[in-house]
Amino acid sequence: MDFTTLQIGIEKNVARIALNRPEVHNAMNIMMIKELSEAVDWLDSRDDIRVIEICGNGKSFCSGADLNYMKDIASYSYNQNLEDAQRLSKLFQKIYFCSKPVITLVHGAVIGGANGIVATSDIVLAERDTVFAFSEVRLGITPATISPFVIARCGEMPARELMLSARQFNAKEALDYKLVNYVGEIDELNQRLDFFIDSFLKASPDAIRDCKNLIRGVCGRTDPYSDVFMTTAMMIAHERMSEDGQEGMSAFLEKRRPRWHDE
């Protein structure tokens, strides 16, 4: 398959997906969301692929939503917003419900929806100087579509702090909050990556798939068609069209403070 926003590399039984819009810090637009969803689907369907790695080219893993994408969103109708939110939610579901182990390596910045990729991965390795943020409430919206996965990974109370404050936090804090599994310099992380790839390749592919299903089942998260995914998509569609959502996006695009900002 050919992709314009991704680089795919396959070596033996391991597939590497690199987000490839380095000139905009791998900011997500409609094309990247669509292609990443297709890539995960395609690799998950291949019997020869045993492990999937996700990373980002350039200075950042992913800086969140693309500026032009946000400009388009600001003028979307409700139905267009709902379709877009469902597209994003389905991407996160495809990673979360993937039958293959997914290892994500992050660096630079992990902002907004990029945390959805992190939260849905099985193993997350973060470079020590990585900066994270759930920045949505400062734009007058919420991290709705990623919330089921972030809360499942971090727990309710850490999610409250990080989502409500929208503050930046470092890789060590992300480790403490269980958003990532390991933090280190790139050489250390590459060793960890090799270790996990080797471990997964020594395991039965069917047993890995069943074990992922087992874990989701024990935690009560087995249904990829759960109402929570539609509910969160509808929520963000409403918020984007709300007075605060429109003001927040306008302020961001115009590089000014929103009207609710405390002087």
Side-chain angles (χ1 to χ4, degrees):
M1 295 181 71
D2 294 324
F3 299 97
T4 60
T5 66
L6 309 174
Q7 283 184 342
I8 308 291
I10 297 175
E11 185 175 347
K12 297 182 179 178
N13 301 110
V14 180
R16 180 176 181 267
I17 304 173
L19 309 184
N20 192 38
R21 302 185 73 221
E23 69 283 0
V24 290
H25 294 268
N26 294 318
M28 290 191 288
N29 60 8
I30 288 179
M31 180 61 74
M32 179 180 279
I33 294 166
K34 177 177 178 291
E35 290 191 339
L36 186 51
S37 192
E38 289 174 351
V40 173
D41 241 0
W42 171 54
L43 295 170
D44 194 19
S45 71
R46 289 180 50 161
D47 291 339
D48 61 319
I49 299 301
R50 302 272 302 279
V51 182
I52 298 173
E53 176 196 347
I54 302 176
C55 61
N57 289 338
K59 294 182 178 180
S60 295
F61 172 69
C62 178
S63 60
D66 177 81
L67 190 62
N68 289 321
Y69 176 39
M70 289 187 67
K71 287 179 181 177
D72 291 340
I73 286 172
S75 63
Y76 277 4
S77 68
Y78 172 76
N79 285 337
Q80 287 175 310
N81 265 302
L82 181 58
E83 181 182 358
D84 180 75
Q86 287 178 297
R87 184 186 302 115
L88 189 58
S89 178
K90 285 176 182 175
L91 163 61
F92 302 137
Q93 291 173 58
K94 286 182 186 299
I95 299 172
Y96 183 75
F97 289 103
C98 182
S99 66
K100 314 293 171 66
V102 178
I103 307 171
T104 293
L105 180 62
V106 300
H107 71 289
V110 183
I111 309 298
N115 288 286
I117 300 173
V118 168
T120 51
S121 301
D122 296 298
I123 303 292
V124 182
L125 311 175
E127 288 193 33
R128 201 175 302 281
D129 61 355
T130 308
V131 175
F132 300 77
F134 297 91
S135 55
E136 287 85 351
V137 294
R138 295 189 181 179
L139 299 176
I141 56 177
T142 64
T145 53
I146 68 175
S147 62
F149 310 106
V150 174
I151 294 169
R153 188 175 185 98
C154 300
E156 178 186 351
M157 292 305 161
R160 281 177 183 260
E161 179 192 337
L162 300 176
M163 290 181 178
L164 292 174
S165 71
R167 71 177 180 86
Q168 289 191 354
F169 56 102
N170 60 33
K172 173 61 168 60
E173 291 175 286
L175 179 64
D176 292 340
Y177 289 124
K178 298 182 172 59
L179 186 63
V180 306
N181 298 87
Y182 295 95
V183 172
E185 303 302 332
I186 188 61
D187 289 344
E188 298 174 80
L189 297 185
N190 283 331
Q191 289 178 8
R192 287 279 184 185
L193 178 64
D194 290 342
F195 167 79
F196 280 112
I197 288 173
D198 183 61
S199 297
F200 293 142
L201 292 179
K202 288 177 179 176
S204 153
D206 288 350
I208 287 281
R209 179 200 62 218
D210 292 346
C211 191
K212 291 188 71 169
N213 287 334
L214 169 68
I215 294 165
R216 289 190 295 257
V218 169
C219 295
R221 293 186 290 269
T222 59
D223 184 6
Y225 305 102
S226 169
D227 288 345
V228 70
F229 301 129
M230 176 55 77
T231 300
T232 54
M234 291 173 66
M235 179 180 293
I236 194 63
H238 280 294
E239 288 169 352
R240 286 175 178 176
M241 299 188 69
S242 71
E243 184 178 341
D244 278 7
Q246 288 288 302
E247 166 66 8
M249 284 190 282
S250 295
F252 179 80
L253 295 171
E254 294 165 13
K255 297 182 179 179
R256 61 173 174 83
R257 291 177 174 178
R259 57 174 172 73
W260 59 75
H261 193 287
D262 186 357
E263 298 294 342

